[in-house]
Amino acid sequence: MGHDPADHVFLDPLAAAPPARAGDHPAALRLGTFDGATVVVMRFAAGQRLDAHRAPHAITVQALTGELDFRVGDESGRLTPGRLVYVRAGVHHAVHAPVESVMLLTLHTGDEAGFRHSGPDRD
């Protein structure tokens, strides 16, 4: 018996990450929206940042390359490849990249609409 193509998707966030852009903020690309989650990849040039803000949904943030200084309220932590942080919805947080870095952001939306592909790669 076959499978439904909407049951899964393989993504390569490092290959899909947009090139860094000039300015203070990173380049971003939404890779897709899945059941309950939206996945975004961001590339930071050294020194770029995301100023303090709140997300409407819980998030996980993972460093894929480089280093990211992640601040939640008054607490800071360094994300290196493979390390991630979870932040509840509505909590102030900020990100700074001291070196060129790629970050994977997952917004845990709770939506049940199925997968909608947004990125360049789909296996």
Side-chain angles (χ1 to χ4, degrees):
M1 185 169 200
H3 71 278
D4 182 340
D7 286 345
H8 69 280
V9 63
F10 293 98
L11 299 172
D12 187 343
L14 283 175
R21 64 181 192 182
D24 294 333
H25 302 101
L29 174 68
R30 183 169 52 108
L31 296 177
T33 300
F34 304 82
D35 288 345
T38 296
V39 179
V40 178
V41 63
M42 297 182 182
R43 185 181 301 272
F44 292 76
Q48 288 183 330
R49 68 186 186 283
L50 293 173
D51 296 323
H53 63 284
R54 295 178 188 170
H57 305 286
I59 62 170
T60 51
V61 174
Q62 181 177 4
L64 299 180
T65 67
E67 299 175 353
L68 299 165
D69 294 327
F70 197 93
R71 190 176 77 240
V72 180
D74 295 332
E75 186 178 349
S76 293
R78 170 78 41 106
L79 298 179
T80 53
R83 190 162 187 223
L84 65 85
V85 61
Y86 168 82
V87 181
R88 290 179 61 185
V91 175
H92 271 100
H93 58 280
V95 184
H96 175 261
V99 299
E100 184 174 331
S101 303
V102 176
M103 179 182 99
L104 188 66
L105 165 67
T106 303
L107 292 101
H108 303 278
T109 62
D111 297 339
E112 294 296 330
F115 175 74
R116 292 186 304 280
H117 182 69
S118 299
D121 300 316
R122 183 160 192 252
D123 292 337

